[in-house]
Amino acid sequence: MMRLHHVPQSRSMRILWLLNEIGAPFEVVSYPFDKTLRSAEFLTLSPAGRVPALEIEGERMFESGAIAEYLCERFPEAGLGRAPGSPDRMAWLTWLHFAETVTQHLAALTQQHLALREPAQRSPIVTQLEAARLGKCLAAIERRLSTPVENRDHLLTSGFSACDVAVGQAVYIARHFHRLDGFPELSAWYARITARPAFQASLPAPEARLYTRDFYPPLEETA
Amino acid sequence: MSDTPEIRLHHVPWSRSFRILWLLEELGLDYDIAWHDIRKGDMQEPGYKAKSPAGRAPALEIDDQVIFESGAITQYLAETFRLGALGRPPHAPERIAYLQWISYAETMAGVIEQLNINHVFLRDPSQASPVVIKLNTARLKGTLAGMEALLGDQEYLLPSGFSAADTMMGFNLFAAPYFVKLDAFPRLAAYKARIEARPAFRRAAARDGVQTFYDRDFYPVPGPVDKNVDKLKG
């Protein structure tokens, strides 16, 4: 059976959602967001000490982008991938990788707002800059969903795919750092994809939430 | 797509788009370059955003189509040209390793980007966070150590030889030594020398030009920093 190594509300939630969409049997090992991930045992699974890691058919995989692509290829019947040569292949690759671009801003913001506990350690300008760059990513999604002829229901013209899962999970976290007001198509798409049972089944228990606040506004200069 | 597609690379020198510049050279494709300057903001114009909606480089025009995200462009080019020789297709024995290296390069590049912001883009040093620099320098060292271990005695990232996973390291291995000395990573240093000796890499580097992004050879972690930092590494 597949085994996902998971930290709630981290990148591994993307793989959890994907596995829930696929529907093949798997089990989850959950970790707290702390030094456990640096233990020698975990490092044999994921050399940089990061989640997700996935055990699948005797292989051990790390990196959420790689795992997502591999699962789509391994379970083509789920319809979440677009194989090489298919009409939406270029867009599928683009938006799957774009999820990682969004997530890098989220990682920087999470580091500033949640990991650094002392206010003096934080950099207000970095929180402002990263929130602005996140806003540009949200605007890019809005633009993608608002086409001149007919708005798209999903990121790909050919319908729901792993792109919606990957970018959708990034937007789920992004809401903690940037409002979705002003992005009507994005908001409608987000409501559409998060109504899916597979997303609902991927939500953390309230006590396992990494983000204990609903919103973390950019920091103001204190000096 | 035509047999000889018209290809245009939207490029910012010494950035992630070098990965694509180098890969185009490895594939032997004809292309031209649209040069962009990240500090001038020309990528925020609506005309460019119609091509790359987040206003980033690289973006690649192929005939009448546009693709952005360096990892996506890399995969697409590798599976489309030269009979896929630089890719590893679905269900190939090295597929997992190939996909992992492409993502791993991006994980590493994200850390480098934070160091670029804190050391280079923030002109007023008091705006940077020494703790963030220390944390991200430690993370960069961690990803380099992971790479050193996984490389083993291989010439390239994959046991079967050179691939588009290697070209994804094009930006990383140029930028990383400004923040972490590679002396502690002998296999990585030898690997870097090996890829830099490739004729296609040299042609790409010549087109990219002499770097003016970094104004010194090395950016050390500023000190002293709070002794509680070690607690934050988890």
Side-chain angles (χ1 to χ4, degrees):
Chain A
M1 196 190 321
M2 293 186 284
R3 183 181 291 144
L4 173 66
H5 297 267
H6 175 59
V7 170
Q9 294 189 304
S10 77
R11 282 175 176 86
S12 60
M13 183 183 168
R14 199 169 287 171
I15 304 305
L16 180 59
W17 183 0
L18 206 61
L19 286 167
N20 283 327
E21 293 282 355
I22 288 168
F26 65 95
E27 60 181 43
V28 177
V29 185
S30 287
Y31 299 83
F33 184 60
D34 65 14
K35 277 189 165 176
T36 314
L37 301 180
R38 299 283 184 277
S39 69
E41 190 191 353
F42 190 77
L43 285 171
T44 64
L45 276 170
S46 180
R50 298 202 171 200
V51 290
L54 183 74
E55 296 177 65
I56 176 170
E57 295 160 353
E59 302 268 8
R60 292 167 167 188
M61 286 197 75
F62 56 97
E63 289 289 342
S64 62
I67 294 171
E69 286 200 45
Y70 187 75
L71 285 173
C72 290
E73 291 168 4
R74 175 64 188 77
F75 299 99
E77 62 279 8
L80 299 167
R82 300 294 183 270
S86 73
D88 258 342
R89 175 68 174 173
M90 204 184 254
W92 187 82
L93 287 171
T94 296
W95 290 98
L96 204 61
H97 283 276
F98 185 73
E100 187 52 31
T101 289
V102 179
T103 304
Q104 291 188 353
H105 300 311
L106 301 176
L109 287 160
T110 301
Q111 187 174 60
Q112 287 284 335
H113 286 285
L114 283 89
L116 303 179
R117 302 205 183 264
E118 301 288 330
Q121 295 177 329
R122 297 174 181 155
S123 168
I125 186 114
V126 169
T127 67
Q128 294 160 22
L129 183 69
E130 289 293 336
R133 298 176 85 204
L134 179 59
K136 285 180 182 174
C137 290
L138 298 175
I141 299 166
E142 178 74 10
R143 205 169 287 121
R144 171 69 182 176
L145 294 166
S146 326
T147 59
V149 182
E150 189 181 2
N151 288 349
R152 284 186 179 88
D153 282 346
H154 298 101
L155 288 170
L156 302 188
T157 311
S158 53
F160 184 76
S161 72
C163 299
D164 298 297
V165 171
V167 179
Q169 191 273 339
V171 171
Y172 163 76
I173 302 299
R175 292 150 50 249
H176 296 87
F177 302 113
H178 201 291
R179 308 280 185 197
L180 300 189
D181 310 347
F183 302 115
E185 291 303 324
L186 182 151
S187 299
W189 162 82
Y190 181 73
R192 195 176 300 128
I193 59 171
T194 54
R196 297 176 70 89
F199 172 82
Q200 294 295 326
S202 311
L203 287 168
E207 68 277 10
R209 285 173 62 102
L210 177 62
Y211 301 92
T212 53
R213 284 194 244 156
D214 289 337
F215 193 70
Y216 298 82
L219 302 172
E220 307 281 339
E221 298 286 350
T222 50
Chain B
M1 190 183 304
S2 56
D3 288 341
T4 51
E6 282 201 28
I7 296 178
R8 166 173 287 191
L9 172 64
H10 292 271
H11 179 61
V12 170
W14 322 296
S15 78
R16 282 177 176 85
S17 56
F18 180 80
R19 295 165 168 169
I20 309 304
L21 184 61
W22 177 21
L23 180 56
L24 288 166
E25 289 291 342
E26 291 283 355
L27 290 167
L29 292 164
D30 284 329
Y31 61 95
D32 64 28
I33 297 178
W35 297 87
H36 296 279
D37 183 338
I38 200 163
R39 295 187 196 273
K40 282 189 183 154
D42 63 347
M43 291 188 293
Q44 301 307 318
E45 305 286 334
Y48 185 70
K49 282 196 169 177
K51 292 173 181 156
S52 182
R56 308 268 173 100
L60 193 77
E61 296 183 64
I62 306 181
D63 292 333
D64 57 352
Q65 293 185 287
V66 190
I67 182 169
F68 60 99
E69 285 288 334
S70 63
I73 300 170
T74 293
Q75 281 193 256
Y76 184 78
L77 290 175
E79 66 194 27
T80 304
F81 296 104
R82 259 187 64 189
L83 301 173
L86 295 189
R88 299 294 183 270
H91 312 296
E94 290 178 329
R95 182 64 171 173
I96 287 178
Y98 175 71
L99 294 175
Q100 267 175 193
W101 278 119
I102 287 173
S103 289
Y104 195 79
E106 205 36 43
T107 292
M108 190 190 281
V111 177
I112 291 170
E113 187 174 312
Q114 287 303 310
L115 291 167
N116 278 347
I117 287 173
N118 277 280
H119 280 294
V120 186
F121 280 108
L122 300 181
R123 292 291 182 179
D124 174 359
S126 73
Q127 293 179 322
S129 162
V131 178
V132 168
I133 291 174
K134 181 163 182 182
L135 278 170
N136 282 300
T137 304
R139 281 193 182 163
L140 180 57
K141 267 186 201 154
T143 58
L144 291 168
M147 200 174 160
E148 174 84 5
L150 290 166
L151 254 177
D153 296 325
Q154 290 162 212
E155 280 205 328
Y156 295 108
L157 295 178
L158 299 180
S160 63
F162 187 78
S163 73
D166 295 296
T167 55
M168 279 295 287
M169 293 295 171
F171 158 74
N172 299 30
L173 295 186
F174 155 76
Y178 287 95
F179 307 118
V180 173
K181 304 222 188 253
L182 296 190
D183 309 351
F185 309 108
R187 287 167 170 159
L188 197 56
Y191 168 76
K192 181 171 186 282
R194 200 173 297 129
I195 60 177
E196 286 173 353
R198 294 179 66 88
F201 182 100
R202 291 180 171 201
R203 289 194 299 273
R207 286 196 83 165
D208 206 24
V210 177
Q211 84 85 18
T212 59
F213 183 75
Y214 300 106
D215 65 2
R216 65 203 75 167
D217 293 335
F218 189 73
Y219 294 81
V221 174
V225 293
D226 193 295
K227 62 181 185 304
N228 290 326
V229 163
D230 285 340
K231 286 188 203 158
L232 296 165
K233 284 183 187 167

